[in-house]
Amino acid sequence: GAGVSQSPSNKVTEKGKDVELRCDPISGHTALYWYRQSLGQGLEFLIYFQGNSAPDKSGLPSDRFSAERTGGSVSTLTIQRTQQEDSAVYLCASSLAWSGGIYNEQFFGPGTRLTVL
Amino acid sequence: AQTVTQSQPEMSVQEAETVTLSCTYDTSENNYYLFWYKQPPSRQMILVIRQEAYKQQNATENRFSVNFQKAAKSFSLKISDSQLGDTAMYFCAFMKPDSGGGADGLTFGKGTHLIIQP
């Protein structure tokens, strides 16, 4: 596709349910990023992948959050036992690989709006 | 840890005026990047302009320019000849290369809601 796509665009779930959010990066982009945007916390960086590997998972808010990337392409962010405070817009971005500190722009998807009732 | 502060939650100017959005940041790093992103109601984050910390010259992109003061850790965005389509949330962001030579995630400020009045 032409840009980063995310699905679903909106997700309403009940407290305690598990949800999966999907991100399709731009073809050829080996770096992939997840962010969360909420009224209370603003924009927070969650995790990034270089290929299929996530060097640092410390940005994930709790152990209910996990992310994976397979085949160096699609990534899934999973939230288990959702809580109301998980309600937010989850943004995904991708970029070409960084090497030697050479900058490559992050391109953002339209986000998934998650509402936990 | 890095922090980014935007002290203006909302600004409103008339079309064609010039407006400056403020941003300060705190870091102990010497090599980093700074960005301004625009987020219209569609939610799509769009890169407006970037600045490499090692460059002394301020970045410029058409009507958008920055005033980068490294010692003061200040990074303001100036929009000249503002247009109705500039109405959006504007986020200042910081990024540093990670220890592996790749890029860490962006650290964002809280944002400034800019309204351009007709």
Side-chain angles (χ1 to χ4, degrees):
Chain A
V4 178
S5 61
Q6 293 186 246
S7 61
S9 57
N10 287 284
K11 175 71 176 179
V12 180
T13 190
E14 293 180 347
K15 177 181 172 181
K17 300 282 190 183
D18 297 353
V19 296
E20 284 190 354
L21 312 179
R22 177 186 169 106
C23 173
D24 272 283
I26 293 172
S27 178
H29 281 192
T30 57
L32 185 146
Y33 303 80
W34 283 99
Y35 297 86
R36 178 169 73 172
Q37 185 172 23
S38 61
L39 284 175
Q41 301 298 320
L43 271 157
E44 305 170 88
F45 165 63
L46 300 180
I47 190 169
Y48 94 92
F49 290 88
Q50 183 57 46
N52 292 333
S53 174
D56 182 2
K57 300 181 179 179
S58 63
L60 294 174
S62 76
D63 58 9
R64 296 184 296 104
F65 287 71
S66 63
E68 66 175 14
R69 190 180 186 196
T70 55
S73 182
V74 171
S75 176
T76 302
L77 178 68
T78 300
I79 310 173
Q80 296 179 313
R81 305 180 303 280
T82 52
Q83 304 293 313
Q84 289 182 332
E85 62 262 29
D86 299 334
S87 295
V89 174
Y90 290 82
L91 295 169
C92 175
S94 72
S95 75
L96 293 169
W98 281 55
S99 176
I102 296 174
Y103 166 78
N104 282 304
E105 180 181 346
Q106 288 186 28
F107 293 86
F108 282 79
T112 293
R113 180 178 296 281
L114 174 66
T115 303
V116 182
L117 301 177
Chain B
Q2 289 68 231
T3 59
V4 178
T5 302
Q6 293 178 250
S7 58
Q8 305 150 311
E10 185 170 290
M11 296 186 71
S12 180
V13 299
Q14 296 295 120
E15 191 176 8
E17 290 183 346
T18 294
V19 60
T20 299
L21 308 183
S22 301
C23 173
T24 58
Y25 60 94
D26 189 22
T27 184
S28 58
E29 303 288 335
N30 190 50
N31 180 27
Y32 53 87
Y33 295 79
L34 294 164
F35 308 86
W36 279 98
Y37 279 87
K38 170 184 178 181
Q39 188 179 41
S42 67
R43 250 177 20 208
Q44 188 75 47
M45 295 286 282
I46 302 164
L47 178 64
V48 174
I49 199 166
R50 78 171 192 268
Q51 175 80 42
E52 292 88 343
Y54 62 85
K55 290 187 178 178
Q56 293 186 340
Q57 186 172 5
N58 289 324
T60 299
E61 289 286 343
N62 301 311
R63 298 183 294 108
F64 299 87
S65 61
V66 298
N67 183 4
F68 174 48
Q69 302 289 329
K70 190 173 183 179
K73 296 180 181 174
S74 170
F75 184 61
S76 61
L77 174 70
K78 185 171 83 171
I79 305 174
S80 303
D81 185 27
S82 57
Q83 301 174 358
L84 297 179
D86 295 333
T87 293
M89 284 293 293
Y90 286 80
F91 293 94
C92 179
F94 173 103
M95 174 191 277
K96 67 174 179 65
D98 70 11
S99 57
D104 208 341
L106 293 160
T107 299
F108 288 93
K110 294 291 187 183
T112 296
H113 185 205
L114 177 64
I115 301 168
I116 309 299
Q117 304 278 6

